[in-house]
Structures are given as structure tokens and as C-alpha cells.
Amino acid sequence: MSSNFPLSHERLEDLARQFPTPFYIYDEAAIRENMAQFSEAFKIFPKFTEHFAVKACPNPYILKILADCGCGADCSSLPELMLCEVSGITGEKIIFTSNETPAAEFVFAFEHGAIINLDDITHIDFLRDSLGGKFPELICFRYNPGPLKEGNAIIGKPEEAKYGLTREQIFEAYKKARDYGAKRFGLHTMVASNELNPEYFVDTAKILFELAIELKKNLGIKIEFLDLGGGIGIPYRPEQKKVPLDCVAKKIRALYDEMIVPAGLDGLEIKWECGRPITGPYGWLVTRTIHEKNIYRNYIGVDASMADLMRPGMYGAYHEVTVSGKEAAEKNRVYDIVGSLCENCDKFAVQRELPKIDIGDLLVIHDAGAHGRAMGFNYNGKLRCGEILLRPDGSFKEIRRRETVEDYFATLDLDGVKNFK
Ligand SMILES: *Cc1c(COP(=O)(O)O)cnc(C)c1O
């Protein structure tokens, strides 16, 4: 568990009277403080930008807070680009790292001045055709190092991943983009997800540094930014440790001085497009116990389901669970904490040691601020929960209302079906 829940039991009960459970709550002060630390670690580079991965927490209030902290955004779809627009994140503050991209999305990204990051060599022509023969002045390519780099469980081995260009293709791609009129260039890679080993990111930087140097030597192409992608993990489990970002930054800076400066590439900007470490530890799913059943195992049934938070069901991911008001109580029970979906994987915790839970108890599911509400879905007719922001002054703001039955039916023609035979 990587961050403490900010509300006392009494305040949480008050809040749950005002906004019935389940709901997400985010701690604005903690997000700001964390972002300040992130930026502090990387300000040792001549230029540094964190482009928050919108998919992790696509709420415009959160995006506005992050923009105020100096962040840009990383988008991969038209609605994400539009969310940035309403949140005041514009132009090159946006990197459009998409894959299997429809033409209309490239057009929107180009017209709004976003940095376009191409996922394949064939997308060079696809992009130019989409833009009616125009080509962006600034272009970036996503590199897939293949067997040069080991991946991890969520993203898989790079050579089995669908993303990016091979080493051979990369050189051809920059040449072709330059022939089409590109004058400014970036280089991107993302080969891991939820990785906690700091050395992993130093290695990734080294691979990109080597490639940037080769691109200059072989093609005379001067890369102006390196985007190290996302993938910085958070300590979901109590025994895990936060990635020491200041240490990662210093080690990357040492390599930068050793490799980038002598190669005449000084001034190169370092970018990240992290989502998880930015908001993950500062968002919680709050749900109330509505049933208890004792069969071969003891089950606690709650009013949230996998439709609100799918990580445990989808990847068997661990999320710390605490019982509000019983934080100090002895953990002398073993429960499966389950939601109401007709899928047996709808379990927030499996065989978890917890204090005795009573019906009506509020449970707090930790580290849900990234890839939480965002991954929600409507299977089984489940209505997704809302989101609340705890402001630095201690007040609450509802930043997304809960879904209603009307939302669920909005894409159906209910009058039409009455006359349908
Ligand atoms: C998902 C994703 C990210 C963010 O990953 P986190 O693990 O949330 O930091 C960044 N870039 C790309 C291309 C992604 O697909």
C-alpha cells in the first residue's frame, strides 16, 4: 500500500451519507505534492516534461490539476485529445502515442499541434495521406527494441508486443519522414508496465541514448527529445517499495553526461508519459459491505464490482483493502471480498487476512487512482460509480457523477423497439 487514506472514519461516514457508495476519492494535495517531487527529481536535465497518460485517469479536473503542476498529456484516442482541450492542455504539451490509429484522429492531433508519435513504418504514408499530402514538422517514432530488452508480465516480451518499429525500420523511418518534410524529431519507447526495479529505467534510457547517437552519426538526424514512456510501478503490496526517482534521474543524468553530451546532442529533452505513479496511490475506491456469506470460504459482498475496478479480476492484481474505523484491529479473519458481477473473478481480494467485517462497514480499496475507474465497463448492466475530489482546503467536489439507468439506455432506441416485430 503506497499512500495513507486521508479521511478519518467519521469524515468518511459523513461523505458516504452525502454521496452514496461506491465512489472513487482522489487527494488533490497529495497528487500535487507527488508531482512536485517527480519534477524535482528530473529537473537535473536541461529540459524535462511529464506527459500524464490520460488513459490512467481521464477526468478533466485531474488533468487541470496536473496541467497546473506543469504536466502535459499523453493521448491515444480522439476523446482523450478532446479531454485535454477542455482541460487546457494544448499543442506540443500533448503527445499522441496511439496505435492502429484512424485517419480522423491523426487529422485532429495534427490540426491541434500535438506531437504525433508513430507506431509503425507504414503509418508515415498513412499519416501523409490522412493529412492530404501534408506532413508534421515534428515527428516521433516508437521504438521496439525486441530481444535487446526484457519486458515484464503486463506488457510481455518486447518481441511479442504489437507496438513500435524494429531497429532496422527505425533508420528507414526517420529518413523517409525527413524526405516528407519533417525537421524536428523525437524518439520514444515503452517496454514495461508497473515495473519497480529502478535499473530497468536506466537501461531503457541507455538503449534510447545509443539509438539517438546512431541516428545522428548515420543519418545526421538530431533527436530533440527522448520519451521514456510510462511503466514506473507503484508499491501495491505492503512489502514493496516506491521506485526511487531521484536515484533513477541521477543515474540517467550520469549516462547523459557520458554519452549524449560528447555526441553533440546536449540540450536533449527527457520526457515521461507516466500515469500510474502520478495518480495511482492517491485514489481510493470506497465501497460498503452489503452481504456476508459463509460456504466453503467466507465471502464479504460489497456494493462495488469489477465494473468499477477491473484490475484484480483482469490481472489478479493485488490492492490493499482496509476497513474504515478498524485500521488498528487485529486481522483475525480470512475473507474473499467480492462484487456482484456474474463472473467468479469479480473479487477485490482473495483469502485476505482482515479484521472482522460487519455488514454496513465501509471498505477502502487502495492504489486505485490510475487504471481504476478508467477501465470500468457496463457488463451485467452495472452502472459505473462516480468520482470525488478531496480539495487541499478539506472540502469535497464531485468531479464525475455516478451513472444512471438513463446513461445505460442512452445508446438504445427504446421507442423504436416497441414497434419492432
Ligand atoms: C499505458 C501507457 C502509458 C502509461 O503507463 P503507466 O503504467 O500508467 O505509467 C504511457 N504510454 C503509453 C504508450 C501507454 O500505453
Side-chain angles (χ1 to χ4, degrees), residues 106-135:
F106 276 139
V107 172
F108 187 96
F110 176 74
E111 284 175 353
H112 288 73
I115 303 170
I116 295 177
N117 185 14
L118 294 179
D119 189 63
D120 189 47
I121 193 159
T122 62
H123 298 180
I124 301 171
D125 281 317
F126 184 89
L127 175 63
R128 194 172 70 154
D129 293 345
S130 307
L131 302 179
K134 287 189 225 159
F135 202 78

Side-chain angles (χ1 to χ4, degrees), residues 5 21 63 74 104 110 112 121 137 154-155 161 166 174 179 203 212 230 239 262 272 315 373 388 404 417:
F5 188 64
T21 54
L63 295 181
D74 161 37
F110 176 74
H112 288 73
I121 193 159
E137 185 187 283
I154 295 187
I155 222 162
T166 67
Y174 282 96
D179 290 346
D203 271 5
E239 70 275 14
W272 284 101
Y315 325 107
R373 173 65 176 71
I388 293 163
T404 63
V417 79

Side-chain angles (χ1 to χ4, degrees), residues 15-288:
L15 180 65
R17 269 189 286 277
Q18 206 183 330
F19 299 101
T21 54
F23 55 78
Y24 274 83
I25 179 161
Y26 304 95
D27 183 344
E28 178 178 343
I31 290 172
R32 286 182 180 274
E33 168 60 26
N34 175 62
M35 197 53 232
Q37 282 176 21
F38 195 110
S39 302
E40 182 64 27
F42 286 94
K43 76 170 194 207
I44 56 173
F45 290 93
K47 280 182 87 186
F48 157 72
T49 309
E50 151 64 6
H51 294 259
F52 177 67
V54 174
K55 74 166 190 237
C57 193
N59 188 300
Y61 289 86
I62 300 290
L63 295 181
K64 232 176 161 173
I65 291 165
L66 291 172
D68 190 50
C69 297
C71 291
D74 161 37
C75 298
S76 67
S77 68
L78 182 60
E80 288 184 356
L81 289 167
M82 293 166 83
L83 271 179
C84 286
E85 204 175 15
V86 301
S87 310
I89 303 175
T90 58
E92 291 181 10
K93 278 281 194 179
I94 300 174
I95 184 156
F96 187 50
T97 300
S98 62
N99 63 93
E100 314 318 328
T101 316
E105 303 200 358
F106 276 139
V107 172
F108 187 96
F110 176 74
E111 284 175 353
H112 288 73
I115 303 170
I116 295 177
N117 185 14
L118 294 179
D119 189 63
D120 189 47
I121 193 159
T122 62
H123 298 180
I124 301 171
D125 281 317
F126 184 89
L127 175 63
R128 194 172 70 154
D129 293 345
S130 307
L131 302 179
K134 287 189 225 159
F135 202 78
E137 185 187 283
L138 171 59
I139 195 80
C140 183
F141 290 101
R142 179 171 187 164
Y143 172 49
N144 181 334
L148 281 179
K149 180 85 183 159
E150 277 175 30
N152 72 4
I154 295 187
I155 222 162
K157 289 182 181 173
E159 67 267 39
E160 292 171 7
K162 67 172 180 168
Y163 307 111
L165 289 78
T166 67
R167 208 178 150 74
E168 293 70 41
Q169 289 170 338
I170 275 278
F171 290 90
E172 210 182 317
Y174 282 96
K175 224 172 7 189
K176 187 160 180 175
R178 182 172 57 189
D179 290 346
Y180 282 4
K183 292 188 173 59
R184 299 167 55 209
F185 304 93
L187 172 62
H188 168 277
T189 197
M190 168 149 175
V191 284
S193 187
N194 195 27
E195 178 61 54
L196 288 171
N197 177 3
E199 293 304 327
Y200 196 94
F201 302 101
V202 182
D203 271 5
T204 304
K206 187 162 183 237
I207 287 175
L208 287 189
F209 285 173
E210 279 165 357
L211 190 52
I213 291 164
E214 261 189 81
L215 282 164
K216 180 158 183 279
K217 271 202 196 124
N218 297 0
L219 302 176
I221 277 180
K222 198 170 171 195
I223 296 289
E224 71 174 51
F225 71 78
L226 293 180
D227 183 339
L228 298 170
I232 297 178
I234 58 172
Y236 286 101
R237 291 175 180 271
E239 70 275 14
Q240 291 175 327
K241 283 204 191 67
K242 217 175 148 171
V243 177
L245 288 181
D246 47 348
C247 162
V248 169
K250 280 186 194 130
K251 286 191 172 175
I252 298 178
R253 176 69 217 206
L255 281 178
Y256 181 102
D257 289 335
E258 200 183 300
M259 301 169 69
I260 292 295
V261 176
L265 285 166
D266 195 12
L268 185 81
E269 178 183 357
I270 299 295
K271 289 183 185 292
W272 284 101
E273 44 184 54
C274 292
R276 195 183 314 270
I278 308 298
T279 55
Y282 315 107
W284 297 262
L285 173 59
V286 178
T287 180
R288 204 181 281 280

